[in-house]
Amino acid sequence: MTRENRGSKPEASNSLRNVLAAMLTCGVVAGMYYSYQPASADDLPPVEDRISRLDSKVLVTPSVPSLQDVVPTPQDRMEAADEAPKLNADQLALKKAIDMLHVGVDRLDNVDNYSFVFDRQERIDGELRENQQIQVKLRHAPFSVYMQWLTGDRGRELLYTENQNENRMLVKLGGLKGRFIPTLKLDPNGDQAKSESRHPITQAGLVNLAREIIKNRRNDLEAAQTPRCVVEEGHSFNDRPCTRLFLEYASKEQSPVYRKTITLIDDELSLPVYVRNYTWPNENMVDIEQETLIECYAFSEIQFERQLADATWERENPDYRFR
């Protein structure tokens, strides 16, 4: 009996523990039930409210654009073209002239040196000077120019070579003056040089002229008020087909110096071979076209093929009179 009673105590303890565990489990389940009662669909808050309660980081996921989003459709292109600003007739003409001149500049940039005959007539200090015809030889790098006057001060010579002769241009006068007056060394931008030409020798040549025209026409294209501009094919200069660029400003506010300009662009070379510029008239003028002409330039006998000797750009050239 004693041994049986002692053996029953562990069994009673185990039973008691099992009962307590069962009661605890029932309490937990009941608590969960009353804490999280099931709700019907009608009792749920709106989807937007539920999303707003979530951590925003959970909702942000990397978005990978589809091919349809990246590549514009034909309709997208049409809509974009409709939204782009339309160019008027003057702006289209300006753009065409700019594009033509760019072709010529790019082509001539690949030429080391060339020669041409240059006709020049300019109004300086209010006086329209006589036309001068000059034989010109030009090198791009280092920039060098040799000129010999065929008319005007016939026989005059000018030599400018970048970074030589103290960056001065050498001038030997023509005629009797050249026999007695020694070679002059002049600053290309000095007063004495400006008294002979409206533009410095450093701006000589077809490329520099074309680039200056491109720069001015771009400014016209971007201006608030576009000048009247007409590009017309079917013209000629020295029996060579050309395109005529005509430009006219409405007021001095648009262009303080130039009122009108006429440029002939060689169709084959895509370079300006004739330029005629006019300034603004005053009340005392009778022949406005003649009296407002301020500069006229013409290029002929342009030769790109012949390679010029290095001695062309040297003062010591025996063919020159720079002594």
Side-chain angles (χ1 to χ4, degrees):
M1 286 290 294
T2 304
R3 223 179 290 167
E4 290 177 2
N5 290 337
R6 289 177 181 171
S8 63
K9 288 181 181 179
E11 294 176 3
S13 298
N14 290 337
S15 299
L16 180 60
R17 282 198 295 269
N18 291 336
V19 171
L20 291 174
M23 291 175 65
L24 180 61
T25 301
C26 292
V28 171
V29 171
M32 292 177 62
Y33 178 83
Y34 289 107
S35 298
Y36 301 97
Q37 293 185 24
S40 66
D42 295 335
D43 295 331
L44 290 173
V47 174
E48 292 81 0
D49 291 344
R50 282 181 280 160
I51 290 178
S52 65
R53 296 173 190 169
L54 296 175
D55 187 347
S56 60
K57 294 181 181 179
V58 177
L59 297 178
V60 177
T61 57
S63 59
V64 179
S66 65
L67 185 62
Q68 188 175 13
D69 294 332
V70 175
V71 180
T73 64
Q75 181 65 27
D76 293 335
R77 294 192 185 97
M78 292 178 62
E79 291 176 356
D82 292 338
E83 293 174 1
K86 296 292 192 299
L87 298 180
N88 60 36
D90 297 320
Q91 291 169 327
L92 289 171
L94 285 167
K95 189 176 183 307
K96 181 177 180 179
I98 291 170
D99 292 343
M100 287 182 64
L101 292 172
H102 266 304
V103 172
V105 169
D106 291 344
R107 183 181 300 160
L108 195 52
D109 268 341
N110 296 319
V111 176
D112 293 332
N113 49 60
Y114 60 100
S115 63
F116 54 90
V117 173
F118 181 49
D119 283 81
R120 177 179 73 183
Q121 188 175 24
E122 297 176 320
R123 187 178 299 276
I124 300 174
D125 295 332
E127 177 188 354
L128 186 63
R129 306 291 179 88
E130 291 184 0
N131 181 72
Q132 298 174 336
Q133 190 172 72
I134 307 167
Q135 176 69 48
V136 181
K137 298 175 183 179
L138 189 145
R139 177 175 64 180
H140 285 140
F143 185 76
S144 309
V145 182
Y146 170 77
M147 293 182 170
Q148 185 179 44
W149 271 246
L150 306 178
T151 64
D153 188 16
R154 185 180 176 86
R156 175 187 292 196
E157 292 177 284
L158 183 153
L159 178 65
Y160 174 80
T161 304
E162 189 177 36
N163 296 326
Q164 290 190 21
N165 303 308
E166 301 172 348
N167 261 337
R168 303 293 174 116
M169 57 183 189
L170 306 178
V171 179
K172 185 66 175 179
L173 300 179
L176 290 175
K177 293 180 294 184
R179 295 184 180 182
F180 302 104
I181 299 177
T183 298
L184 306 175
K185 294 179 70 173
L186 304 178
D187 179 359
N189 297 295
D191 292 338
Q192 193 167 352
K194 290 180 179 178
S195 68
E196 295 287 338
S197 177
R198 287 177 52 84
H199 305 281
I201 193 66
T202 52
Q203 295 179 3
L206 286 163
V207 168
N208 283 328
L209 176 60
R211 284 177 175 155
E212 183 68 16
I213 295 174
I214 289 172
K215 182 185 75 174
N216 293 334
R217 300 298 80 85
R218 277 180 174 167
N219 291 337
D220 294 331
L221 191 58
E222 296 170 1
Q225 183 179 1
T226 309
R228 185 164 76 93
C229 183
V230 178
V231 172
E232 188 177 62
E233 299 176 354
H235 292 262
S236 65
F237 178 71
N238 284 336
D239 297 325
R240 292 180 60 85
C242 294
T243 296
R244 179 177 182 263
L245 168 62
F246 175 84
L247 199 79
E248 188 172 32
Y249 296 94
S251 66
K252 283 187 178 181
E253 285 70 26
Q254 278 185 285
S255 174
V257 177
Y258 296 106
R259 170 179 62 92
K260 179 173 69 173
T261 178
I262 299 171
T263 305
L264 295 179
I265 303 173
D266 187 286
D267 288 346
E268 180 183 354
L269 304 177
S270 292
L271 290 168
V273 292
Y274 181 88
V275 178
R276 194 173 180 88
N277 293 329
Y278 297 84
T279 190
W280 298 95
N282 59 50
E283 56 188 13
N284 298 321
M285 290 182 178
V286 177
D287 187 347
I288 292 179
E289 288 300 292
Q290 181 62 21
E291 294 182 66
T292 60
L293 175 66
I294 55 173
E295 53 195 19
C296 182
Y297 307 115
F299 299 80
S300 59
E301 301 181 33
I302 303 170
Q303 299 290 332
F304 299 126
E305 297 81 10
R306 188 162 62 94
Q307 183 69 25
L308 301 174
D310 291 339
T312 305
W313 325 111
E314 297 175 358
R315 176 177 184 167
E316 294 76 17
N317 189 323
D319 294 334
Y320 300 160
R321 299 182 301 116
F322 303 112
R323 302 288 184 271

